[in-house]
Amino acid sequence: MGGRISKKVVRPAVKAKPAKAAPSKVVYAFGGGKADGNAGMKELLGGKGANLAEMAGLGLPVPPGFTISTAVCTYYYAHGRKYPPALRADVERHLQQVEYSVGKRFGDPANPLLVSVRSGARASMPGMMDTILNLGLNDETVRGLIALTGNPRFAYDSYRRFVSMYGDVVLGLKPQSKDESDPFEEILERKKHARGVSLDTELTADDLRELVAEFKTAIKQRLGIDFPDDPQEQLWGAVGAVFGSWHNDRAILYRKLNGIPDAWGTAVNVQAMVFGNMGEDCGTGVAFTRDPSSGENVFYGEFLMNAQGEDVVAGTRTPLPMRQLEATNPVVYEQLMTIRRTLERHYRDMMDIEFTIQQGVLYMLQCRVGKRTGVAAVRNAVEMVDERLITWKDAILRVDPEQLNQVLRPTFIPADKERAIEERRLLAKGLNAGPGAATGRIYFNAEDAEAAAARGEAVILVRIETSPDDIRGMVAAQGILTARGGMTSHAALVARQMGKVCVAGCEPLRIDYRARTLRIDGRDDALREGDDLSIDGTTGEVFRGRIDTQPSEVVRVLIDRTLDAQSAPGYQRYARLMAWADKVRTLRVRANADQPDQSSAAVAFGAEGIGLCRTEHMFFGEDKIGPMREMILAESLEARRAALAKLLPLQRADFAGIFRAMAGKPVTIRTLDPPLHEFLPHETVDQQALADILGMSLSRVQERVAALHEFNPMLGFRGCRLGIIFPEITEMQVRAIFEAAATVQKEGIAVRPEVMIPLVGHVKELDLQTVIVRRVAAEVAKESGVKLAYGVGTMIEVPRGCLTADQIAHTAEFFSFGTNDLTQTALGVSRDDAGRFLVPYVGEFEIYARDPFQSIDEDGVGALIRIAVERGRTTRPGLKIGICGEHGGDPSSVVFCHRVGLDYVSCSPYRVPIARLAAAHAALTS
Ligand code: ADP
Ligand code: MG
Ligand code: MG
């Protein structure tokens, strides 16, 4: 058992106070048409326990059992892994109730009750915690089971499953390295080989009985432990293992990835067994009430006859589609269809169910709200509104803003894919488990996949089947390909949740982990680690080599305009959802864009303006970098003005293009921000070339480059400091802005420029720059005869700017938080140099709950923002305030912006839909 407990993670000293007193009621019964709990009690009963109770309460056929609440888990960890004193008696009493209702006794050699011990946390953690089936078997009770059923094969099948599950989960006999296979699996494979069979179901009762003994011997030899015969000892061992597994590595990692607090704890469910492995009129299955991949309203699932529990999910045998159940067992199928309707009506959502058929009788073993792709989430939400299951406001909340990424995700270019098929590069076809297209290099295990991704490679993780140990590799990969397992296998489930492309159950694949090769039945291709592979998670196709991808339906309709909205149902659903979102949100959404084409894309995605146009990006263009360098190296004011004069028309043309694209929507343009040395060449050859062009000596150029060198350019000569020392630069830029505005306005297009001065910490900095802006604006208005409406404001990105916002607001007509730099300056962390410590800061030490450069650090940076908003609006009520850092596209930061009363967020064009939906969530939930 010891080996399974993860090493203690170092944690800050401040911890949640442990629950000192033992909780009063800790065990909750369910079954027989009633239950102590219900679906609303997930905190206490975990998701699985709460939903088992809910189903039992609905009168669905749930085998009876009880749930040991999460309060026990919390108590257990707060008290050095001890249980509350009353627990044993409580469990005893509830076990008796179960015995009574099924008419069997736990440990009774003549008529044994067998149970499953199942973990279940508040949030579903697929496959993270381990379930043990058929608990209560030993050499005596197995004989009782045989006598009772007259089916020794079934009895020993149950027994060998129990011993291997218990041996793995509780006793800890597991593979030791990444290339090793499961020890029980190895013994099983050897047995099948010896008997000349390929399926578990072909083994005889004697084979299975031998397996039980061989498993126990392996446990004794490798661990030095006798397998426990006493059912009570088995039960408490299993309960302890479930609680223990809350702190195993993969559970901790999963919680970290999904932001689940350690303090929640897991519940334990103990439930009377029903058997899907008693013969051909028995089986087990997993289903979704709608297609979790496309969202289509069809019953979608898989089952296996003569199988138990994990067989469907584990991918040891490839399961059959639900349709087949309709053919072979129409009565059970009809019953399931009725339950499907009942559950959808009751939960008003798409549900994921687990069931078992014992001798033609259906039992429900689990239900929960189904995980689905972004595409399916949008489709379910919109269609359920049409079906009057939910309101349009519910629909908005049904789609996680990040999930929209998948709706915008690329697919393979059809012509390229066709060519790949012609070139006979289509290797095989598996199940279309996670939509989208991915192309990358093959890696065969999580560790290597992670390492390759860290080197910047696109990775396709190729596994026979995946387990929770592969999660790190799945995170790192673009796509996941497995040889075994169905649509509900671990790989498929986790991939969909992560939004990864996935092809599962691709049976012709022959994967050799040790040799690191991938072969395909009936073909002579041999692919090795590092070779290119492309997978289509929408069709299930697997290709050798690379295939180019193309934009999604939404992008083709909105941006490329290569597809007609009328013939794009996926686009139409997206558009309806977004229209609902726009109806409720109060936060405006703008985009960060520096060029006309980006601006048009932003508008197509619903941007209501440009929140940040970075002028310096323009200077890196072919035609502009020359005069820019000339300007920087100029030795006199005249020379600098001459160079600026060359830049003026170029900038003006850029601005005009953007103004036309934005057609009257506000455009915030930031004056020059980065340190000047960024524009200069640092290699001698390039410096020589520049010297030649400018007619200077190489040494003079090098002198100037050296003079501009800074020890800490992030805090150096940049931002408004440039425009204050070289006012002619600001002058040229604002002239370009206003001349472009005048030109476009004369064309009959409205223009709303907003000039934004960066890095202001003192109101006088802004004053000095504002004088220039207003003077030039007046000059241009006079010269052009056009009346210009414009604003002048500042980017708030240093703490002093936040703290003196009341003073700054006397001059500034708007604020925009540059949260990238504000995070750097507030935390005293240089983002570019944070690599060494920021990852462990977040992951290992939990100093920040999330990367502060991705998600606003609400306590620190957020406090500065609150102060600035409050002080700024004290001086200037109604001051328009936005944010233009990377955070503007992060859903949780968007919610924060809504709460502190900002007017808009600005983010990259492709994140505009995500920000719109997040803003709608914020409006509906706060
Ligand atoms: P997970 O959390 O990984 O889904 P479960 O606790 O749901 O684990 O158990 C996995 C599978 O084991 C279930 O889907 C079900 O098929 C089977 N199982 C669990 N409890 C029972 C039971 N009492 N009788 C029959 N099968 C069971
Ligand atoms: Mg389950
Ligand atoms: Mg900045």
Side-chain angles (χ1 to χ4, degrees):
M1 172 85 241
R4 305 193 64 254
I5 311 286
S6 71
K7 43 189 182 327
K8 263 260 169 75
V9 176
V10 187
R11 255 164 245 295
V14 206
K15 255 191 145 181
K17 265 193 224 124
K20 275 281 178 299
S24 50
K25 181 174 171 65
V26 292
V27 182
Y28 293 75
F30 60 80
K34 57 184 196 306
D36 294 347
N38 61 54
M41 294 166 69
K42 289 200 179 67
E43 284 188 22
L44 208 54
L45 304 182
K48 200 180 287 169
N51 284 320
L52 280 168
E54 187 80 11
M55 284 198 293
L58 280 172
L60 300 184
V62 177
F66 54 89
T67 304
I68 303 173
S69 83
T70 57
V72 174
C73 188
T74 313
Y75 182 100
Y76 180 78
Y77 281 108
H79 292 79
R81 301 185 183 240
K82 283 206 189 63
Y83 299 121
L87 185 67
R88 279 191 179 261
D90 249 10
V91 165
E92 188 57 35
R93 201 156 34 80
H94 281 86
L95 195 58
Q96 280 167 9
Q97 264 181 42
V98 175
E99 289 176 336
Y100 178 77
S101 74
V102 300
K104 295 174 185 299
R105 298 257 320 270
F106 190 58
D108 183 346
N111 186 16
L113 166 70
L114 303 188
V115 297
S116 64
V117 176
R118 318 171 64 188
S119 62
R122 211 191 288 191
S124 95
M125 296 171 58
M128 298 312 293
M129 313 289 263
D130 305 289
T131 288
I132 296 155
L133 303 179
N134 311 323
L135 188 139
L137 277 173
N138 55 34
D139 291 346
E140 275 183 39
T141 52
V142 76
R143 277 197 293 276
L145 197 60
I146 294 169
L148 223 57
T149 59
N151 188 344
R153 192 197 173 279
F154 148 71
Y156 282 110
D157 185 52
S158 303
Y159 198 5
R160 63 97 185 176
R161 287 169 188 273
F162 169 55
V163 174
S164 63
M165 277 185 254
Y166 198 92
D168 170 358
V169 176
V170 181
L171 305 177
L173 184 53
K174 289 175 179 297
Q176 296 302 311
S177 77
K178 63 181 183 183
D179 293 322
E180 200 182 311
S181 48
D182 181 76
F184 296 109
E185 197 65 27
E186 241 168 47
I187 299 170
L188 177 64
E189 286 302 319
R190 231 181 293 137
K191 180 69 68 190
K192 287 199 273 190
H193 189 77
R195 297 291 178 265
V197 301
S198 61
L199 296 175
D200 302 4
T201 44
E202 294 168 317
L203 292 171
T204 65
D206 283 336
D207 298 335
L208 295 165
R209 184 171 41 77
E210 287 169 24
L211 275 179
V212 170
E214 287 162 24
F215 286 168
K216 287 186 177 178
T217 307
I219 290 167
K220 178 75 185 171
Q221 277 175 352
R222 308 257 303 253
L223 303 175
I225 310 173
D226 286 312
F227 192 87
D229 288 327
D230 174 12
Q232 284 293 338
E233 188 185 340
Q234 293 172 357
L235 177 63
W236 288 99
V239 170
V242 173
F243 286 141
S245 74
W246 181 251
H247 270 302
N248 74 27
D249 289 342
R250 60 191 209 202
I252 290 171
L253 177 69
Y254 186 89
R255 287 202 290 277
K256 205 148 273 168
L257 287 172
N258 293 276
I260 298 172
D262 281 349
W264 281 6
T266 181
V268 181
N269 301 287
V270 178
Q271 187 176 26
M273 283 301 301
V274 289
F275 301 100
N277 58 336
M278 264 185 172
E280 286 308 317
D281 58 348
C282 304
T284 178
V286 180
F288 291 87
T289 56
R290 300 182 189 217
D291 184 332
S293 191
S294 71
E296 193 184 346
N297 188 2
V298 290
F299 195 28
Y300 195 90
E302 291 168 327
F303 72 101
L304 273 174
M305 294 315 273
N306 200 10
Q308 196 174 47
E310 301 287 67
D311 291 1
V312 178
V313 190
T316 40
R317 276 155 67 196
T318 296
L320 305 169
M322 223 54 194
R323 264 176 285 113
Q324 224 134 314
L325 184 65
E326 185 177 13
T328 56
N329 200 331
V331 177
V332 169
Y333 183 80
E334 258 324 301
Q335 209 180 337
L336 272 171
M337 285 299 275
T338 307
I339 289 175
R340 169 186 181 231
R341 262 190 308 278
T342 306
L343 287 176
E344 278 213 348
R345 294 252 162 86
H346 185 72
Y347 283 92
R348 300 184 307 122
D349 207 340
M350 190 271 268
M351 304 299 288
D352 167 350
I353 62 176
E354 294 173 11
F355 62 91
T356 282
I357 307 161
Q358 177 178 320
Q359 297 178 311
V361 180
L362 176 68
Y363 293 95
M364 296 299 296
L365 289 167
Q366 193 171 329
C367 86
R368 61 186 164 200
V369 170
K371 294 264 168 11
R372 62 204 85 177
T373 63
V375 175
V378 172
R379 182 162 183 176
N380 285 172
V382 173
E383 292 186 346
M384 283 184 185
V385 172
D386 292 340
E387 294 161 31
R388 295 179 189 285
L389 274 181
I390 58 174
T391 67
W392 62 270
K393 285 185 182 171
D394 295 330
I396 292 169
L397 294 172
R398 286 294 168 86
V399 182
D400 177 347
E402 283 290 349
Q403 279 188 312
L404 283 182
N405 259 330
Q406 292 174 40
V407 180
L408 305 172
R409 175 160 350 135
T411 51
F412 286 131
I413 294 174
D416 277 25
K417 190 163 137 177
E418 241 158 68
R419 181 145 27 86
I421 295 171
E422 274 164 28
E423 291 169 359
R424 295 198 66 251
R425 281 162 49 202
L426 175 57
L427 298 176
K429 210 167 163 184
L431 301 170
N432 52 337
T439 190
R441 294 192 177 160
I442 299 174
Y443 287 94
F444 292 103
N445 63 59
E447 214 173 283
D448 297 338
E450 255 193 320
R455 291 192 298 269
E457 292 178 33
V459 169
I460 306 288
L461 178 68
V462 179
R463 299 285 298 168
I464 297 172
E465 57 199 88
T466 66
S467 78
D469 299 321
D470 297 316
I471 288 197
R472 286 172 188 280
M474 298 173 81
V475 172
Q478 309 292 311
I480 296 135
L481 171 64
T482 65
R484 290 202 299 221
M487 287 297 283
T488 51
S489 63
H490 178 267
L493 230 79
V494 175
R496 278 199 295 272
Q497 196 181 339
M498 290 182 180
K500 299 275 179 183
V501 178
C502 177
V503 173
C506 189
E507 301 199 9
L509 304 190
R510 292 292 165 261
I511 297 166
D512 186 332
Y513 288 151
R514 280 179 208 271
R516 317 244 160 137
T517 56
L518 168 64
R519 294 174 172 281
I520 292 86
D521 258 2
R523 292 181 60 104
D524 27 330
D525 310 69
L527 291 102
R528 328 198 120 264
E529 180 179 270
D531 286 353
D532 284 328
L533 194 74
S534 299
I535 60 174
D536 189 331
T538 313
T539 60
E541 293 158 305
V542 179
F543 298 90
R544 187 160 47 80
R546 307 186 68 84
I547 302 177
D548 286 334
T549 53
Q550 75 165 14
S552 74
E553 213 176 87
V554 171
V555 170
R556 272 178 292 148
V557 172
L558 289 179
I559 311 294
D560 306 347
R561 297 171 197 270
T562 51
L563 185 63
D564 181 24
Q566 295 313 310
S567 43
Y571 164 76
Q572 288 174 29
R573 286 188 285 266
Y574 159 87
R576 285 179 69 194
L577 182 77
M578 295 312 290
W580 292 331
D582 290 344
K583 203 148 77 173
V584 290
R585 71 184 163 92
T586 52
L587 198 61
R588 312 260 116 201
V589 177
R590 295 193 187 185
N592 299 345
D594 311 324
Q595 273 148 21
D597 59 335
Q598 287 173 8
S599 308
S600 321
V603 172
F605 279 132
E608 296 158 285
I610 287 178
L612 177 61
C613 172
R614 302 172 174 90
T615 47
E616 61 271 16
H617 284 194
M618 300 173 177
F619 292 130
F620 286 107
E622 276 294 315
D623 49 344
K624 279 161 235 150
I625 191 74
M628 185 65 186
R629 287 172 169 170
E630 191 181 326
M631 187 276 287
I632 294 168
L633 295 183
E635 313 239 10
S636 66
L637 179 62
E638 289 71 48
R640 193 156 45 245
R641 280 197 190 281
L644 284 166
K646 290 185 200 167
L647 284 170
L648 176 73
L650 301 172
Q651 281 234 296
R652 190 171 54 209
D654 283 329
F655 292 138
I658 292 173
F659 290 145
R660 288 189 192 102
M662 295 311 290
K665 295 189 170 66
V667 178
T668 303
I669 298 167
R670 178 177 70 183
T671 52
L672 192 62
D673 181 58
L676 297 178
H677 76 88
E678 283 190 12
F679 297 96
L680 296 180
H682 291 272
E683 300 289 328
T684 312
V685 270
D686 301 328
Q687 289 172 340
Q688 180 66 61
L690 180 60
D692 293 345
I693 291 170
L694 299 182
M696 291 167 80
S697 70
L698 173 63
S699 61
R700 185 73 187 127
V701 169
Q702 286 177 330
E703 255 175 59
R704 296 301 312 270
V705 171
L708 285 168
H709 170 80
E710 291 176 316
F711 287 102
N712 198 340
M714 182 190 91
L715 300 177
F717 187 36
R718 53 165 295 210
C720 62
R721 299 156 199 178
L722 292 169
I724 289 168
I725 305 302
F726 298 129
E728 55 280 9
I729 297 180
T730 304
E731 210 176 289
M732 180 282 286
Q733 290 202 293
V734 292
R735 178 163 280 278
I737 292 169
F738 290 125
E739 287 182 356
T743 305
V744 174
Q745 214 160 296
K746 277 185 185 161
E747 294 166 10
I749 301 170
V751 181
R752 281 177 59 199
E754 298 173 336
V755 179
M756 179 159 73
I757 310 299
L759 215 71
V760 166
H762 196 295
V763 65
K764 282 191 184 167
E765 292 177 312
L766 181 61
D767 289 343
L768 285 167
Q769 292 286 285
T770 304
V771 168
I772 299 172
V773 176
R774 299 219 181 276
R775 175 171 52 75
V776 174
E779 284 167 14
V780 174
K782 199 159 158 216
E783 289 157 21
S784 64
V786 174
K787 201 162 171 283
L788 294 167
Y790 67 94
V792 187
T794 178
M795 205 154 162
I796 301 278
E797 46 192 339
V798 298
R800 194 180 192 285
C802 295
L803 301 174
T804 61
D806 47 345
Q807 298 167 21
I808 293 175
H810 281 294
T811 308
E813 294 171 322
F814 65 88
F815 287 173
S816 176
F817 291 102
T819 45
N820 296 343
D821 275 342
L822 186 58
T823 302
Q824 297 200 90
T825 53
L827 271 52
V829 169
S830 155
R831 180 187 188 159
D832 298 332
D833 302 316
R836 291 284 300 281
F837 58 89
L838 197 56
V839 169
Y841 255 46
V842 177
E844 188 179 339
F845 299 103
E846 299 180 1
I847 293 172
Y848 295 107
R850 292 184 54 193
D851 180 345
F853 289 104
Q854 256 167 39
S855 203
I856 285 181
D857 156 40
E858 293 190 16
D859 293 346
V861 176
L864 285 168
I865 291 177
R866 281 178 201 279
I867 289 171
V869 169
E870 192 202 303
R871 296 190 183 169
R873 286 193 178 143
T874 308
T875 301
R876 194 187 284 264
L879 177 70
K880 188 163 64 173
I881 309 179
I883 154 182
C884 61
E886 220 96 306
H887 304 88
D890 168 63
S892 66
S893 305
V894 171
V895 172
F896 171 80
C897 292
H898 174 92
R899 285 207 314 268
V900 295
L902 299 200
D903 297 292
Y904 69 87
V905 296
S906 188
C907 58
S908 73
Y910 272 72
R911 292 199 73 86
V912 166
I914 294 163
R916 283 160 70 198
L917 188 58
H921 279 218
L924 288 174
T925 54
S926 37

